[in-house]
Structures are given as C-alpha cells and as structure tokens.
Amino acid sequence: AVKPGSGLKTAVQTLEPIVAQYPKRADVQIGFAQLLARTGQGDLACRRAAAASAAVPNDHERLGEAADVCWQAGNMGEARSMLEKYLKKHPNDSYVLLIFGRVEERLGRRASALDALVRAMKQPASDERIAFNAGELAADLGDAPKTEAYFKRYVEMLRAQSEDIDLTRLEVWLRLGNAALMQKSPERAAEYYAELRGGPFAVDARIREALALTDAGRPEDALKALREGREELKLDAPALMSAESKLLMDSMISGLTDIVEAYGKAVALMQQAAQTYPTEPEVLYDAAMVEMDSGLRTEAEKHLRALMTVNPQHVQGANALGYLLTEDNRDLKFARELLERAYRAEPLNPYILDSMGWLNFREGRYRAAAEFTTASLKRLWDIEVAGHLVEIYAAQGKKTEALRTLHELARQGGDDAKALVDQLAARWKLSELPIKTAQ
C-alpha cells in the first residue's frame, strides 16, 4: 500500500535540486515551502518561507504568502511577527493590514483586528480585492455596518471598471443581505438578495428575499418573488415550490387570507409539485409534511411511501412514515423497520428517539419506551413528547412518576399544554393522586 503523502514527498525530492537553482526567486522558494508544509514539514516550511519573504522586504504579496505558510504550519507567532515587522516600515499598506487583522481576529484579539481593518480602509482602495477582503473581515468580526459598507464599495469598484460587467451572479449580494438583516433592515436585505439572479446561489437568494419580504410585512411580494423565481430558475423549481408552501402555512403571513384557505393553497401547490417531480425526494417529503399539518394523513402516507421507494435511506421520511404508522397502531412491523433504519442513521436525533419510544409503547415494551422517550426529552424538551412519557409511565402502573411528569408538562408547557394535561389526567385518572418530590 502507498502511504498518504508519499507522492508529495517524492515531488519534494525531485524538485529540491531544481528549486536550489533559483535562490533569489521568492515566488519559487515560497511555492516550494507550501509543498513542504503539505508533507508535514511545517517548521522547515515556515523557515524557508520567512527567509524568502525577507529577501524581498517590500513585496507584500510574498509576505502574505509566507505568513500563510507559517500560520498553516501552526507557527502563529512567526506569522504575526513577520506582519508586524513589515507594518512598522509600511504602516499604511492596506493589503498587509487586512492580513494582520485576520490573524488578530483568529487569535481572539478583536479590538486589534478592528483597528487594523479601519486603518486599512482609510486608504483609497486601488484594488477591489481590498474592499472584498475588508468586507469578509468585518463580517467575521460581527460588525454589520462595516460589512455592508465595504462590500458595497467592492460592488461599486467592479461597476466602475465597466458598465457591461455582469454582477447578477455574485455571492456578495447574499453577504450584503445578511449584513442588512443583522441591522434589522429586511427591506434593504430583500433589495440586495433581489440583485442575485443567476448562478449556483440564485435559488438561495430567492428564498432569502422572500423571507426578508415576509419579515418586512410584505407577504404578497414574498410569494411573488418565489413564483417569479420558478420561471427564471426552472431547475430549482422544486425547492422554490417547497419554500412557497412553507410561507403559505407560516403563521406570520396567515393574514394574507384565512388560515384554511392558506393551508389549502399550500397543499394544492405541493401536490402539484409531487405530481410534476415524482422522483424528487424533498418534494415528496415536503408534500407529505404539508398534508400532515392539514390533517390529510392518507395523502401524506401515499407520498411518504413513494419517497421510501425513491430513496429508502431518506432519514426524515423513514421517521415520518414510521411515526405515522405507529400513531395509527398499524403495520408496526414495517414501522419498526423504518424507525430502526432512521435510528441507525441518527441515533441522537430527538424526534427519532421519540418515535422509537412511541413504537415500543405500542408494542408493549414499556421499559424501552421510557428509555427512548426520556432520552428524547433530555435532548429537546417538547410538549407532545412529555405527554408520551406520561402515558408510558401510566401504562406501566407507575402513576407517581406519571403524575410528576404531568406536573412538569403543565409547568413547562403553560397554556399551550393545558388541553393535553387535562386530557391525560382524565384518561389515566391522575388528578386525584398526590405528587411526590424527587428524592
């Protein structure tokens, strides 16, 4: 067997005598240092890169490359020292100031990083990369106003280069939108997202634009953005239809129409999507979830079974169908097959743990049911899951534990849990029992 990295080591041995012929070529020496670093010779790589950079003391690009070699090799101190030494002679070099700011940010020195960022951007930027790198550093520092300002400057510099330049595929619009959202300006965020019309990030931009418009109180415009997106981005239509259905069912836009009509539109949309894209796993899953929320369990089961045919390893689909069958207390053998498949894939998922608990309850395996359900609650407390645990304890005859869990459900769930608490208390005759505090 060939050991990992053996090819790189061979390359080092082959190239070393050739590199030795160019002792004054800093670019060649630093390139060789980068190769050395990849073979695990970090200390040697850092020394060679630092020496090469020192040979061209005014070349900030070689300095940046050398500092990166040392940083990647774990020699943060040397990387920082090289940059500081350079900045003493060239205090206004924006390129190096931003690299220094990045180092300081990664070392947790936020104030120093922010100072370097501000100093870098006081100089007139002659290269759009400076503005872009400044925006990235500002974003990492969590400074939304500066992030927006510097990324806007980047876009303006690109536009100034040529009126014909196409900016509609730039990921930077997502970054600008995110910065606007951090400043609680969804209207401005939506405008930025709307600029991104093509490329791999366009579908993400349409969804974010719709969410921003929803936050701005413009639900009709949000839905319009998604529908127009379907026409422009035909390959991404399934994802956009799913996003539209979720917006329709979201309580934030229920004022668009009455809730029954909104649910009806969402169901119709996803059923159309499932018919149009019958082999798209996420479309089938989202259709089923919309139908479940609307009480259309038969239709939901049909789409979940179709999903299991298209992709038997779809974890959320297996969990959803397994839980649906468990709730209905039928075909439990198939439900166990589905839920064990989901559990093997995601053994810490609280929803799957609850499903396993409820399946064991249906099968009369109360001890296992309590263990799974308790594990689910420890990871994510939920009203319905807590109700399951009450029933599991009560079915075992452990009414003290059932009552204690019921009181905890009432305490944590508040008004949202009142109907369930009353229902469980009546079903298992728990209301007359005194509660015991935990020992």
Side-chain angles (χ1 to χ4, degrees), residues 219-299:
E220 292 182 354
D221 290 334
L223 293 171
K224 181 181 177 183
L226 292 172
R227 289 165 186 160
E228 289 179 350
R230 275 194 267 153
E231 295 301 316
E232 296 174 8
L233 308 166
K234 295 189 182 299
L235 292 178
D236 296 306
L240 293 167
M241 293 176 87
S242 292
E244 184 179 339
S245 74
K246 289 169 186 173
L247 277 186
L248 280 166
M249 297 189 72
D250 195 304
S251 60
M252 288 189 297
I253 70 162
S254 59
L256 177 65
T257 181
D258 66 78
I259 196 67
V260 174
E261 184 178 350
Y263 271 48
K265 288 181 177 180
V267 167
L269 178 64
M270 288 316 299
Q271 288 181 343
Q272 176 193 343
Q275 186 175 0
T276 307
Y277 308 100
T279 60
E280 287 283 346
E282 295 310 315
V283 166
L284 294 169
Y285 179 74
D286 287 343
M289 293 303 97
V290 169
E291 288 161 340
M292 285 287 287
D293 286 343
S294 301
L296 303 173
R297 296 173 67 84
T298 300
E299 291 84 346

Side-chain angles (χ1 to χ4, degrees), residues 14-35:
T14 302
L15 291 172
E16 190 158 19
I18 300 173
V19 171
Q21 298 176 29
Y22 302 94
K24 296 183 179 181
R25 284 283 301 272
D27 56 342
V28 172
Q29 297 300 321
I30 292 175
F32 187 65
Q34 292 168 339
L35 182 61

Side-chain angles (χ1 to χ4, degrees), residues 132-434:
F132 184 84
N133 291 338
E136 284 197 320
L137 178 55
D140 289 341
L141 290 168
D143 191 318
K146 285 185 174 59
T147 300
E148 184 177 3
Y150 299 151
F151 279 137
K152 279 183 70 176
R153 191 182 303 184
Y154 167 71
V155 171
E156 290 163 1
M157 291 178 74
L158 289 179
R159 281 187 173 139
Q161 291 179 13
S162 170
E163 294 181 358
D164 299 326
I165 192 168
D166 181 10
L167 305 179
T168 63
R169 302 169 70 88
L170 293 182
E171 185 190 3
V172 72
W173 296 117
L174 294 180
R175 297 167 183 254
L176 280 162
N178 296 344
L181 285 180
M182 288 179 66
Q183 297 171 78
K184 303 187 185 307
S185 180
E187 290 271 8
R188 199 161 71 247
E191 291 175 3
Y192 287 133
Y193 294 137
E195 293 284 348
L196 207 168
R197 310 307 300 184
F201 307 106
V203 63
D204 191 13
R206 291 292 69 68
I207 293 172
R208 294 193 196 194
E209 179 188 0
L211 292 172
L213 288 168
T214 301
D215 288 345
R218 296 167 54 189
E220 292 182 354
D221 290 334
L223 293 171
K224 181 181 177 183
L226 292 172
R227 289 165 186 160
E228 289 179 350
R230 275 194 267 153
E231 295 301 316
E232 296 174 8
L233 308 166
K234 295 189 182 299
L235 292 178
D236 296 306
L240 293 167
M241 293 176 87
S242 292
E244 184 179 339
S245 74
K246 289 169 186 173
L247 277 186
L248 280 166
M249 297 189 72
D250 195 304
S251 60
M252 288 189 297
I253 70 162
S254 59
L256 177 65
T257 181
D258 66 78
I259 196 67
V260 174
E261 184 178 350
Y263 271 48
K265 288 181 177 180
V267 167
L269 178 64
M270 288 316 299
Q271 288 181 343
Q272 176 193 343
Q275 186 175 0
T276 307
Y277 308 100
T279 60
E280 287 283 346
E282 295 310 315
V283 166
L284 294 169
Y285 179 74
D286 287 343
M289 293 303 97
V290 169
E291 288 161 340
M292 285 287 287
D293 286 343
S294 301
L296 303 173
R297 296 173 67 84
T298 300
E299 291 84 346
E301 181 178 344
K302 180 187 75 172
H303 284 126
L304 288 171
R305 286 184 181 273
L307 169 57
M308 289 297 95
T309 300
V310 171
N311 181 7
Q313 303 307 316
H314 194 286
V315 176
Q316 290 76 22
N319 181 56
L321 181 55
Y323 185 73
L324 185 153
L325 294 173
T326 299
E327 273 197 315
D328 291 351
N329 203 15
R330 60 186 172 84
D331 205 355
L332 295 185
K333 182 178 179 180
F334 183 45
R336 175 161 286 279
E337 177 188 327
L338 291 166
L339 293 178
E340 286 184 346
R341 189 188 307 163
Y343 178 65
R344 284 194 297 271
E346 296 184 16
L348 300 180
N349 186 313
Y351 300 105
I352 295 172
L353 288 168
D354 173 53
S355 297
M356 287 292 292
W358 202 232
L359 172 65
N360 279 282
F361 172 77
R362 292 296 199 199
E363 295 172 333
R365 306 180 192 200
Y366 298 136
R367 182 175 178 179
E371 289 175 353
F372 276 114
T373 308
T374 300
S376 175
L377 283 170
K378 284 181 179 178
R379 300 197 70 80
L380 179 67
W381 195 89
D382 180 85
I383 288 174
E384 184 178 355
V385 179
H388 286 168
L389 188 57
V390 172
E391 298 213 51
I392 292 165
Y393 282 142
Q396 294 179 83
K398 297 181 177 181
K399 293 201 171 182
T400 300
E401 288 88 341
L403 185 59
R404 184 181 299 122
T405 306
L406 188 68
H407 279 229
E408 183 64 17
L409 171 59
R411 186 184 70 81
Q412 288 204 52
D415 291 342
D416 292 338
K418 188 177 185 309
L420 179 59
V421 168
D422 292 344
Q423 183 185 60
L424 292 172
R427 180 186 304 163
W428 296 100
K429 297 182 172 57
L430 297 174
S431 57
E432 298 175 2
L433 291 176

